[in-house]
């Protein structure tokens, strides 16, 4: 930097904030900090932590502008404005102190709040929450109220998850008019139009995911909503869809049994119960249907319906596969309601009702920023976790709530979702390959450490500020922590959950503190996709292996070539990085597996995600899951056209007790620009090619008969084109609400 640059940079903070307040973009309270202290805390050298794509994204979309669209921030003012906005949740005498602490964590890229928080912290309308979950009642007035709520929530950058299972099915009787209902599909078309019409905060398109439970009579039409063929009046091209699947259906699939579809007006309890209670009531309704006591129902082969789900998921990317029973059985808030759906990115599992719109506030710890000299710095990780929990809790009190139902829910239960990102980066730095037991054990260990400190931090804040309103009777109050609830799921399901149960920490002090002082937050952890904030932080998204070592990333800002810098660093250490190596990487679309001169240890460490068997992604997720009180936004990647392999993968995820999955990614037509490569050069592959992925092992013996019969005969899935939702850019169609 030029001489005097630092002092000029620091002095401008007060001017920047004052201009934002004068333009009515920032809260007037932002002028009331100790700017001498804040300016001294500003570190201009942290601008150098950004990669080009990260700083470009901030410039295009995140920096505060006045009404004439003049940018009022530079990078460190941006981080300080976010920190100040979050510090407003503390006592006024502590505003400056906490702002500096928050600033040091976020500006060093150790922790990044979600996009809505970055957009709106400290502003005149601080809508900082990421996700909103609603339940739609089977009344016309409530259906259209829900459309209006969606518009308001989406306007302020909220991603939406809508539960539509209560709506009566096609052909069900409407008593007031004595005519048959048109079912749920026409209303989803209206919801789709509402989604497309809203431009969230002027910076992103609206985004909604609609959920339907698998026993709903309209489920077969629901599965086809994202198809590009058929009656367009029954298609929703701008809305994500997700199956909300009870365990009983998965058991019927495995055992090749029948499945009965009902209309919720004749089976009103089914959507609001789960586990053994659901199985009992469902079989009672099946008996009533057989006796002619239910008017509208349909029997199908469970495996045939499952095939339709898998086929549609492969060909359209929807509906996603999410599981009702694990989400409810393991919920800390089972005493005050039911989890009726997940959210837009499938990591939130909170109760909803007509009176409460569930809200979640998200942020992610950048794991790689806590690795120094090849060692994970746990004390640093503890400090980051504690400050992150405090920032997330403050969002609840400071937040602008677009609807009263959202405010009521968030203030009563105070859920937050602390997640992680930069996981693959950390493995690179630690020299560990993703598809190894060592990496799975590390996933377990790090998630346990974060969970330990997140729960303890929430309890510390409860001691200081008070417990959340509905704490009494919760699992926390009953002494049940996330790792304790796997046994409850086994009991309800009647099947073993194949997850290692060990622990490395002594949880006694945490349990004792919670027993004495309670919890500030009903939920503490959820792992979001982080497609955008990971770009800002310069790390790989969320918990995923790297998509490709070279690829083109597309987002609202533009298209950028992304290259794996860790790979380049290791190639340099081996004196292998040169123009020829770059050409070979382009030739093989980023893969190093067929480049002979690359050592085997680097080939193992730098496998791309489609070179890793999907069971490893599920193993990591299952081990993390035992420590998480919500869920994980888990993309699944598989290099196959086999319906059986994809089915096996999702059955494995269910058997492992996972609550939700997100996008299915299959290997489609994609590549990097090769115009700079001499087409006359022929590259010889490695003499010993990498073996084809082995079949996915089945975890539970009960699956064996069905795999030996029906699933083995599943027809090939349709060929994908380059525009398929499951191919190409790894960020294609990924929502940004939870980032």
């Amino acid at each position: 930097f030029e001489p005097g640059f630092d002092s000029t940079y620091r002095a401008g903070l007060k001017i920047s904030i004052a201009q934002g307040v004068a333009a009515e973009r920032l809260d007037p309270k932002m002028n009331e900090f100790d700017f001498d202290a804040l300016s001294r805390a500003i570190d201009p050298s942290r601008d150098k932590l950004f990669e080009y794509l990260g700083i470009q994204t901030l410039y295009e979309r995140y920096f505060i502008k006045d009404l004439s669209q003049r940018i009022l921030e530079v990078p460190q003012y941006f981080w300080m404005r976010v920190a100040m906005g979050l510090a407003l949740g503390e006592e006024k005498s502590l505003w400056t102190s906490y702002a500096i602490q928050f600033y040091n964590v976020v500006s060093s890229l150790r922790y990044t709040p979600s996009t809505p928080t970055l957009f709106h912290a400290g502003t005149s309308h601080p809508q900082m929450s990421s996700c909103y979950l609603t339940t739609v009642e089977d009344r016309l007035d409530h259906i259209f109220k829900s459309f209006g709520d969606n518009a308001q929530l989406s306007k302020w950058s909220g991603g939406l998850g809508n539960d539509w299972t209560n709506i009566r099915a096609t052909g069900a009787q409407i008593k007031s008019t004595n005519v048959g209902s048109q079912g749920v599909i026409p209303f989803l078309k209206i919801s789709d139009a509402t989604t497309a019409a809203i431009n969230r905060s002027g910076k992103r398109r609206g985004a909604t995911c609609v959920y339907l439970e698998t026993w709903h009579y309209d489920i077969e039409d629901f599965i086809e909503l994202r198809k590009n063929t058929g009656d367009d009046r029954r298609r929703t091209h701008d809305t994500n869809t997700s199956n909300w699947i009870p365990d009983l259906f998965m058991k019927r699939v495995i055992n090749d049994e029948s499945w009965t579809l009902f209309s919720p007006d004749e089976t009103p309890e089914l959507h609001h119960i789960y586990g053994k209670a659901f199985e009992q009531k469902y079989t009672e309704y099946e008996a009533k249907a057989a006796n002619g006591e239910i008017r509208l129902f349909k029997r199908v082969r469970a495996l045939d319906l499952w095939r339709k789900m898998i086929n549609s998921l492969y060909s359209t990317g929807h509906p996603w596969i999410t599981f009702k029973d694990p989400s409810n059985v393991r919920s800390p808030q089972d005493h005050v309601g039911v989890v009726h759906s997940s959210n837009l990115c499938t990591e939130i599992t909170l109760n909803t009702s007509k009176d409460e719109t569930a809200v979640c506030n998200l942020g992610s710890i950048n794991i790689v920023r806590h690795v120094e000299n090849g060692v994970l710095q746990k004390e640093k990780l503890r400090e980051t976790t504690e400050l992150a929990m405090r920032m997330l809790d403050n969002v609840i009190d400071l937040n602008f709530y677009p609807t009263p139902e959202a405010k009521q829910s968030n203030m009563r239960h105070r859920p937050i979702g602390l997640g992680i990102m930069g996981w693959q980066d950390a493995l690179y730095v630690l020299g560990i390959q993703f598809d190894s037991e060592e990496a799975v054990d590390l996933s377990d260990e790090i998630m346990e450490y974060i969970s330990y400190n997140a729960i303890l931090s929430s309890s510390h804040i409860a001691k200081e500020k008070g417990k959340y309103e509905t704490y009494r009777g919760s699992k926390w109050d009953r002494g049940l922590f996330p790792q304790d609830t796997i046994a409850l799921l086994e009991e309800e399901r009647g099947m073993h959950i194949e997850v290692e149960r060990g622990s490395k920490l002594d949880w006694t002090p945490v349990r004792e503190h919670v027993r004495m002082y309670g919890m500030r937050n009903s939920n503490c952890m959820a792992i979001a996709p982080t497609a955008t904030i990971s770009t800002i932080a310069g790390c790989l998204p969320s918990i995923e292996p790297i998509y490709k070592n070279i690829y083109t990333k597309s987002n609202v800002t533009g298209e950028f070539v992304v290259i794996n810098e860790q790979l380049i660093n290791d190639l340099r250490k081996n004196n292998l990085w040169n123009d020829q190596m770059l050409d070979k990487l382009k030739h093989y679309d980023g893969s190093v597996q067929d480049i002979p001169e690359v050592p085997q240890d680097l080939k193992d460490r730098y496998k791309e995600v489609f070179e890793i068997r999907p069971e490893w992604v599920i193993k990591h997720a299952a081990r993390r899951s035992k420590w998480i009180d919500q869920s994980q936004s888990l993309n699944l990647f598989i290099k196959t056209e086999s319906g059986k392999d994809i089915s096996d993968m999702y059955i494995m995820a269910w058997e492992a007790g996972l609550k939700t999955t997100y996008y299915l990614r299959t290997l489609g037509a994609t590549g990097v620009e090769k115009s700079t490569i001499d087409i006359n050069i022929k590259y010889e592959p490695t003499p010993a090619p990498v073996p084809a992925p082995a079949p996915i092992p089945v975890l539970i013996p009960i699956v064996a008969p069905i795999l030996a019969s029906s699933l083995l005969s599943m027809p090939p899935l349709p060929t994908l084109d380059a525009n398929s939702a499951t191919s190409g850019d790894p960020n294609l169609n990924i929502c940004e609400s939870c980032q």
Side-chain angles (χ1 to χ4, degrees):
F1 292 132
E2 294 294 327
F5 177 84
D6 280 17
S7 58
T8 302
Y9 198 130
R10 291 188 174 98
L13 173 66
K14 185 174 183 179
I15 298 171
S16 171
I17 297 297
Q19 288 176 335
V21 172
E24 298 183 348
R25 294 286 287 113
L26 297 181
D27 189 320
K29 292 194 292 289
M30 296 285 279
N31 274 332
E32 299 176 24
F33 284 76
D34 179 351
F35 281 93
D36 289 339
L38 295 182
S39 295
R40 287 194 298 270
I42 288 280
D43 185 352
S45 69
R46 291 177 184 170
D47 283 1
K48 296 180 179 180
L49 296 177
F50 292 108
E51 296 178 356
Y52 175 80
L53 180 53
I55 196 66
Q56 179 69 18
T57 301
L58 286 182
Y59 174 78
E60 292 280 352
R61 300 166 57 193
Y62 286 80
F63 290 163
I64 290 289
K65 301 175 183 177
D66 63 18
L67 296 179
S68 65
Q69 303 307 300
R70 182 171 63 98
I71 292 176
L72 303 179
E73 295 181 325
V74 294
Q76 298 310 309
Y77 299 174
F78 161 77
W79 288 128
M80 187 59 84
R81 185 259 302 167
V82 171
M84 293 164 66
L86 294 172
L88 293 174
E90 306 293 342
E91 293 182 11
K92 188 171 183 179
S93 62
L94 300 174
W95 283 0
T96 299
S97 172
Y98 273 111
I100 292 171
Q101 293 180 64
F102 296 163
Y103 166 79
N104 284 327
V105 168
V106 297
S107 65
S108 59
L109 307 182
R110 288 159 55 185
Y111 166 79
T112 307
S114 65
T115 282
T117 303
L118 299 180
F119 279 167
H120 299 137
T123 66
S124 52
H125 285 86
Q127 196 304 102
M128 297 182 280
S129 296
S130 300
C131 308
Y132 293 92
L133 287 69
T134 69
T135 287
V136 184
E137 294 289 301
D138 189 30
R139 304 192 323 264
L140 198 60
D141 61 334
H142 195 263
I143 290 171
F144 277 85
K145 178 185 184 302
S146 298
F147 295 146
D149 288 350
N150 276 4
Q152 288 297 324
L153 296 168
S154 190
K155 171 185 176 181
W156 295 104
S157 292
L160 306 177
N162 296 157
D163 156 40
W164 285 88
T165 299
N166 288 320
I167 307 304
R168 71 191 68 194
T170 303
Q173 186 181 32
I174 302 174
K175 292 182 180 179
S176 59
T177 57
N178 197 28
V179 297
S181 169
Q182 295 188 70
V184 70
I185 303 301
F187 294 117
L188 297 181
K189 185 68 176 178
I190 300 172
S191 175
D192 184 62
T194 304
T195 296
I198 302 297
N199 186 1
R200 292 178 289 165
S201 296
K203 299 173 183 178
R204 297 180 295 174
R205 291 188 308 162
T208 303
C209 182
V210 295
Y211 285 76
L212 201 69
E213 203 161 334
T214 314
W215 52 263
H216 196 286
Y217 190 83
D218 289 341
I219 190 67
E220 292 170 299
D221 289 332
F222 180 82
I223 291 169
E224 297 186 344
L225 280 171
R226 288 297 296 262
K227 286 188 174 180
N228 290 323
T229 58
D231 186 352
D232 200 60
R233 293 170 298 180
R234 299 181 70 81
R235 299 291 179 263
T236 57
H237 302 297
D238 292 293
T239 298
N240 302 295
T241 61
S242 184
N243 290 299
W244 192 237
I245 303 173
D247 280 354
L248 182 60
F249 174 74
M250 297 303 297
K251 293 177 183 178
R252 298 269 180 102
V253 169
I254 288 171
N255 294 320
D256 196 8
E257 297 173 342
S258 65
W259 183 249
T260 308
L261 307 180
F262 295 107
S263 179
D265 63 318
E266 294 187 273
T267 57
E269 300 96 336
L270 292 183
H271 191 39
H272 309 291
I273 53 177
Y274 51 87
K276 292 178 180 178
F278 174 88
E279 293 192 14
Q280 179 179 346
K281 181 59 67 173
Y282 184 85
T283 53
E284 287 178 10
Y285 278 128
E286 285 187 309
K288 287 186 176 182
N291 293 331
E293 299 176 49
I294 289 182
R295 189 181 72 85
L296 188 63
F297 68 93
K298 180 182 179 181
R299 289 194 182 90
V300 299
R301 185 185 178 198
L303 184 58
D304 288 343
L305 183 57
W306 177 247
R307 283 174 172 167
K308 288 180 181 180
M309 292 177 177
I310 296 298
N311 194 305
S312 179
L313 187 60
Y314 179 86
S315 59
T316 72
H318 293 87
W320 302 326
I321 303 295
T322 56
F323 301 113
K324 171 185 179 178
D325 289 81
S327 298
N328 276 284
V329 172
R330 299 193 61 205
S331 169
Q333 291 294 94
D334 57 344
H335 65 307
V336 288
V338 174
V339 182
H340 290 112
S341 72
S342 188
N343 67 314
L344 177 60
C345 303
T346 76
E347 80 278 16
I348 303 304
T349 50
L350 300 174
N351 299 342
T352 56
S353 69
K354 65 180 178 61
D355 300 316
E356 290 192 350
T357 292
V359 184
C360 205
N361 317 293
L362 302 175
S364 298
I365 295 173
N366 186 358
I367 298 296
V368 72
R369 289 284 172 182
H370 297 80
V371 179
E372 297 175 6
N373 301 317
V375 178
L376 179 69
Q377 303 297 310
K378 287 193 173 179
E379 183 60 25
K380 188 176 181 180
L381 182 58
R382 179 195 60 77
E383 180 188 50
T384 300
T385 302
E386 290 177 352
L387 288 170
M389 290 294 291
R390 197 166 194 100
M391 283 186 263
L392 287 168
D393 184 67
N394 284 350
V395 167
I396 297 168
D397 296 313
L398 297 168
N399 207 48
F400 168 78
Y401 294 97
T403 68
E405 292 86 357
K407 183 172 184 178
Q408 174 171 311
S409 175
N410 218 27
M411 298 304 291
R412 288 187 72 210
H413 313 301
R414 305 186 68 86
I416 56 179
L418 179 63
I420 63 173
M421 59 184 177
W423 172 243
Q424 176 69 89
D425 304 84
L427 292 180
Y428 288 149
V429 174
L430 293 168
I432 301 173
Q433 70 183 74
F434 188 96
D435 53 341
S436 68
E437 292 298 338
E438 183 182 9
V440 172
D441 288 343
L442 189 61
S443 271
D444 193 332
E445 180 181 348
I446 289 179
M447 201 67 237
E448 179 184 7
Y449 190 79
I450 292 173
S451 179
Y452 185 103
N453 287 289
I455 294 169
L456 185 57
S457 297
S458 181
S459 189
H460 280 148
I461 300 172
K463 180 182 178 181
E464 175 188 341
K465 299 183 177 182
K467 298 186 288 285
Y468 71 92
E469 183 180 329
T470 56
Y471 170 80
R472 189 63 58 198
S474 68
K475 278 191 172 71
W476 305 112
D477 185 40
R478 284 146 42 204
L480 294 171
F481 282 31
Q483 61 267 38
D484 304 323
T485 61
I486 298 175
L488 300 181
L489 179 59
E490 283 183 327
E491 181 183 352
E492 289 292 323
R493 187 177 283 184
M495 295 172 61
H496 176 61
I497 306 297
E498 192 72 22
V499 178
E500 167 62 42
R501 309 296 168 86
S503 170
K504 290 186 177 295
L505 299 175
D506 178 10
W507 282 78
T508 303
V510 185
R511 293 180 185 274
E512 183 62 20
H513 200 281
V514 171
R515 187 188 67 79
M516 292 181 64
Y517 301 107
M519 292 285 287
R520 180 66 170 173
N521 312 100
S522 65
N523 300 74
C524 296
M525 290 154 287
I527 299 180
T530 76
T532 307
I533 64 169
S534 63
T535 297
I536 294 169
C539 65
L540 290 166
S542 195
I543 49 180
E544 296 176 6
I546 194 167
Y547 175 74
K548 280 188 169 296
N549 289 313
I550 300 179
Y551 66 91
T552 300
K553 179 183 178 72
S554 301
N555 60 21
V556 175
T557 302
E559 290 192 353
F560 302 86
V561 175
V562 178
I563 187 165
N564 185 347
E565 291 192 11
Q566 295 287 351
L567 171 60
I568 294 174
N569 291 338
D570 277 340
L571 289 173
R572 281 198 178 109
K573 291 176 184 177
N574 287 268
N575 296 316
L576 292 173
W577 182 245
N578 50 42
D579 290 342
Q580 186 181 26
M581 179 60 70
L582 177 59
D583 285 346
K584 288 185 178 183
L585 283 173
K586 290 180 180 179
H587 177 79
Y588 290 114
D589 285 331
S591 174
V592 298
Q593 302 305 317
D594 288 328
I595 302 177
E597 54 265 50
V598 175
Q600 188 60 47
D601 65 321
L602 295 190
K603 289 181 178 180
D604 292 340
R605 194 182 314 157
Y606 290 100
K607 289 179 183 177
E608 297 173 344
V609 70
F610 288 110
E611 295 164 344
I612 294 171
R613 285 154 49 186
E615 66 182 86
W616 288 105
V617 175
I618 294 172
K619 281 184 177 182
H620 278 268
R623 294 283 282 275
R624 278 189 302 265
S625 176
K626 66 180 177 181
W627 308 112
I628 300 173
D629 50 34
Q630 294 199 65
S631 189
Q632 308 166 68
S633 188
L634 184 70
N635 291 315
L636 294 178
F637 301 80
I638 188 167
K639 186 179 180 180
T640 187
E641 294 181 4
S642 164
K644 173 189 174 298
D645 288 347
I646 295 174
S647 176
D648 288 356
M649 179 175 65
Y650 279 100
I651 289 175
M652 173 185 283
W654 175 72
E655 289 173 339
L658 297 186
K659 298 176 183 178
T660 59
T661 64
Y662 194 26
Y663 278 97
L664 169 66
R665 298 292 184 190
T666 58
L667 191 58
T670 182
V672 296
E673 175 62 50
K674 298 183 175 67
S675 60
T676 59
I677 295 178
D678 185 343
I679 62 174
N680 295 311
I681 296 177
K682 304 298 181 184
Y683 296 106
E684 295 297 327
T686 302
V690 178
I696 300 173
V698 178
L699 301 182
I700 304 298
I702 194 172
V703 179
I706 194 66
L707 293 179
S709 56
S710 301
L711 286 184
L712 285 173
S713 63
M714 283 186 75
L717 293 168
T719 301
L720 295 177
D721 60 39
N723 295 318
S724 167
T726 59
S727 66
D729 181 355
N731 298 294
L732 181 67
N733 292 327
I734 295 278
C735 79
E736 297 176 332
S737 294
C738 303
Q739 321 311 299

